[in-house]
Amino acid sequence: MTEPKYSQSYVDVGEGTPVVLLHGLFGKVSMWKRTIESLRKDFRVVVPRLPLFDLPVEQANIRKLSTHLHDFIEWDHLSGVYLVGHGIGGQVALMYASENPRNVEKIVGVGNRLVSK
């Protein structure tokens, strides 16, 4: 079997158990900056870019993004991952975990806190 080539940019820092941070619809790496800095002391923090707007419209769905995540995790030889997902990233994490339960140790879903003045 040929390894898939991963052509998206991603962050990979720290050492230890891999924590994969998955952004939401309009997310970007900068949204995880403080989280990355906190976690990198004790974990390997990996932040792949989900190709939300690069896929053809008929393929822009959670299943295809989960397949993309699977290809990335296989490509990077990650195992026993902690998945942290924001918005759509959380949905992708849940689908990936349901299809690959032996490779997921924990799942964390995060959202925005609404603040009113």
Side-chain angles (χ1 to χ4, degrees), residues 14 18 21 23 25 27 33-34 36 51 56 73 77-78 80 88 93 101 104 115:
L21 305 177
H23 62 80
L25 183 59
K33 186 176 180 179
R34 290 175 57 191
I36 293 167
I73 287 174
H77 306 288
L78 300 174
I88 287 176
V104 178
V115 179

Side-chain angles (χ1 to χ4, degrees), residues 49-116:
R49 181 183 167 276
L50 296 175
L52 296 168
F53 300 107
D54 300 339
L55 295 172
V57 171
E58 64 275 1
Q59 293 181 12
N61 58 57
I62 302 303
R63 181 162 308 282
K64 185 67 176 174
L65 293 170
S66 176
T67 299
H68 178 80
L69 175 61
H70 175 74
D71 291 346
F72 175 80
I73 287 174
E74 290 287 309
W75 174 82
D76 204 18
H77 306 288
L78 300 174
S79 61
V81 297
Y82 293 8
L83 296 176
V84 179
H86 176 265
I88 287 176
Q91 294 176 28
V92 171
L94 289 171
M95 178 160 282
Y96 175 82
S98 72
E99 295 174 346
N100 303 277
R102 290 190 172 115
N103 200 31
V104 178
E105 290 296 318
K106 297 181 188 278
I107 300 174
V108 177
V110 297
N112 293 339
R113 184 181 78 168
L114 298 175
V115 179
S116 59

